[in-house]
Amino acid sequence: MLRRMDLAITRELPVTLAQCELTHLSREPIDFPRAVAQHQSYCAALAALGLTVLRLPADPGYPDCCFVEDTAVVLDEVAVIASPGVASRRGETALIASTLAGYRPLVHLELPATLEGGDVLQVGRRLFVGRTTRTSDAGIAALAAAVAPWGYQVVPVAVSGC
């Protein structure tokens, strides 16, 4: 297992991207070719920083699948596989879990706890976790229990608006 991850895991954009979940924004048309070009630039920037970029295939059954940061919280010692707060995203975690299993031991969060990795900010050994419509108190508690053996502290943060 790697101690430090010099790997960026990305996922290609699905042709169904325009059907993605929205919580705080009104739906607007997505310029798919532009989004693909932006994603290519993002991957190139990661590679230019010296990271190995692992590009997983898109899955049109999961319009949000390119947002891989929501599917796991990856720490030096463990990868915590999220339990997405939106039912349409729950199937995204399988590919990420099987990919991360080659690099980290895994802990899976289970319903009714919900947590999305995009609601988590790591600062040293502290994980600040936004309490949102997609991350529940039960999800925050489950994350705290999952990372406690490695000395991480989970700090809930009230989030409003966006």
Side-chain angles (χ1 to χ4, degrees):
M1 300 280 170
L2 295 175
R3 282 292 302 146
R4 187 168 155 250
M5 193 174 271
D6 290 331
L7 175 70
I9 298 173
T10 65
R11 196 157 184 190
E12 299 302 319
L13 278 66
V15 295
T16 55
L17 180 63
Q19 298 165 17
C20 64
E21 290 287 342
L22 293 174
T23 301
H24 297 288
L25 300 172
S26 299
R27 191 162 302 277
E28 294 182 12
I30 293 176
D31 181 340
F32 188 72
R34 181 178 180 204
V36 169
Q38 289 171 335
H39 188 68
Q40 298 288 350
S41 294
Y42 170 67
C43 291
L46 293 170
L49 291 170
L51 299 173
T52 298
V53 180
L54 176 57
R55 299 173 75 151
L56 301 176
D59 183 336
Y62 298 105
D64 292 279
C65 69
C66 58
F67 302 108
V68 296
E69 67 277 3
D70 290 330
T71 59
V73 177
V74 181
L75 305 171
D76 285 342
E77 303 85 358
V78 65
V80 180
I81 305 303
S83 177
V86 179
S88 66
R89 300 208 58 198
R90 293 189 182 133
E92 295 174 34
T93 61
L95 178 61
I96 297 302
S98 66
T99 301
L100 287 172
Y103 302 97
R104 298 283 189 277
L106 304 180
V107 174
H108 292 263
L109 300 187
E110 302 292 336
L111 293 173
T114 60
L115 179 121
E116 292 197 8
D119 290 340
V120 179
L121 172 67
Q122 180 184 2
V123 179
R125 310 252 353 133
R126 283 196 180 130
L127 303 178
F128 294 91
V129 184
R131 185 180 299 109
T132 68
T133 57
R134 297 186 187 194
T135 294
S136 65
D137 287 333
I140 294 170
L143 177 64
V147 301
W150 291 278
Y152 288 91
Q153 177 190 14
V154 171
V155 180
V157 177
V159 176
S160 62
C162 188

